[in-house]
Amino acid sequence: MILTFIRQIRLVVIICILLFGNAWADDSAVTATTAEKSQSLEERILPAAKWKKLDVAVPLVGEGGPPLWKEGEIQEDTGELMLSQRLQRTDELVMVCYFESKYVPQYNARNGKLTRLWEIYTKGRVVQSLRGNIPVGSIIEVMQYTDETPPGTSYTPKDFVANKVQEKTVSEPGVLVYLLMERKDVKKEGGIYVYRKLDHLRERPAKFYTADMERFIKVRPASIAEESVHARLLPGR
């Protein structure tokens, strides 16, 4: 008797599931769809890492770019921190239009042979002087090292061993860069400003306005219009 009653209860449960299961599924789907539509675009695209909304007004200067960095927003051990520290040491910040680069092959002091390392002396004309004393229109020359051969050449390792590599000057037609330098290391030689220290940054303007730099400073022609606390020149530098 009891066994028959239990079987009847099971049968009723199965019938209820078959009858109302689809309705429950439909209701669940509608509820999920409604919840998804109520979410913002950010929450739907990045559900695990919601976009950080900064409580900062977008500056008028800089044509509606992102807000400037605030205290506590820059994390340690990041490119942002490195750029912030560099900006705080930089008392010469100019935009330069490169027009010429001279590649000078380097010798190995021990065996007198050429290495695959080049010194590059690049000349440009200053078109913006954002911070510092270098006037617009000046010629500046900076140095860097590279292991890439000059454009238009195809030297082989055997050419370097045989000392057949020659100094080469190439044109840099209208290449724009921002140079971040320290004034004490900028010298004036024969009417040309020269910077021989390798500890400097050069940023292409196209990258400048699509990367973190725009969060540090806002510029207008020949001047910095606004800067975050992370970009201000440290006192005494």
Side-chain angles (χ1 to χ4, degrees):
M1 184 73 177
I2 296 176
L3 184 60
T4 303
F5 180 72
I6 293 174
R7 287 177 179 172
Q8 289 176 343
I9 291 177
R10 287 180 179 176
L11 181 60
V12 170
V13 170
I14 292 173
I15 292 173
C16 290
I17 291 175
L18 293 176
L19 289 175
F20 302 108
N22 291 336
W24 292 340
D26 292 341
D27 289 342
S28 299
V30 170
T31 301
T33 302
T34 304
E36 182 179 355
K37 288 182 178 180
S38 67
Q39 290 179 323
S40 66
L41 178 62
E42 299 98 318
E43 291 170 331
R44 275 182 278 159
I45 295 175
L46 299 173
K50 296 181 181 179
W51 294 355
K52 185 178 181 181
K53 294 179 173 58
L54 301 177
D55 186 20
V56 182
V58 176
L60 295 178
V61 178
E63 311 226 342
L68 295 178
W69 289 111
K70 293 169 57 181
E71 289 285 2
E73 289 184 352
I74 295 182
Q75 302 298 316
E76 299 290 334
D77 300 324
T78 63
E80 298 161 3
L81 179 65
M82 181 273 294
L83 189 53
S84 169
Q85 293 172 342
R86 188 70 193 125
L87 277 166
Q88 291 184 20
R89 298 199 308 270
T90 294
D91 47 8
E92 292 288 352
L93 173 54
V94 296
M95 185 169 76
V96 173
C97 182
Y98 281 160
F99 58 81
E100 180 182 276
S101 290
K102 180 173 69 174
Y103 287 71
V104 180
Q106 298 300 291
Y107 284 90
N108 185 309
R110 288 187 293 181
N111 59 22
K113 299 295 183 180
L114 288 168
T115 69
R116 301 198 69 172
L117 188 66
W118 305 78
E119 277 184 347
I120 309 177
Y121 297 86
T122 306
K123 287 183 180 179
R125 186 174 296 277
V126 176
V127 295
Q128 280 188 346
S129 184
L130 302 171
R131 177 188 286 167
N133 299 326
I134 301 177
V136 173
S138 302
I139 301 296
I140 189 169
E141 182 180 75
V142 297
M143 185 191 76
Q144 69 182 55
Y145 287 103
T146 184
D147 58 359
E148 296 181 2
T149 57
T153 62
S154 56
Y155 294 115
T156 67
K158 291 183 179 180
D159 294 328
F160 286 87
V161 172
N163 288 357
K164 292 182 179 180
V165 180
Q166 303 296 318
E167 178 182 301
K168 184 175 179 61
T169 300
V170 299
S171 63
E172 298 275 0
V175 176
L176 290 173
V177 297
Y178 282 98
L179 296 179
L180 289 76
M181 306 171 292
E182 294 182 60
R183 186 177 305 158
K184 62 183 177 63
D185 296 309
V186 179
K187 312 299 180 184
K188 195 170 184 180
E189 301 175 0
I192 297 177
Y193 292 89
V194 296
Y195 192 82
R196 297 286 177 259
K197 188 178 179 182
L198 293 177
D199 181 23
H200 71 276
L201 291 181
R202 59 182 72 201
E203 292 275 347
R204 294 290 181 91
K207 180 180 178 183
F208 188 98
Y209 285 110
T210 55
D212 293 323
M213 185 72 90
E214 191 181 1
R215 289 293 304 277
F216 287 105
I217 66 173
K218 308 294 182 184
V219 303
R220 64 165 65 106
S223 67
I224 295 177
E226 187 178 2
E227 59 185 332
S228 75
V229 65
H230 302 286
R232 291 174 189 154
L233 184 68
L234 294 177
R237 291 300 183 103

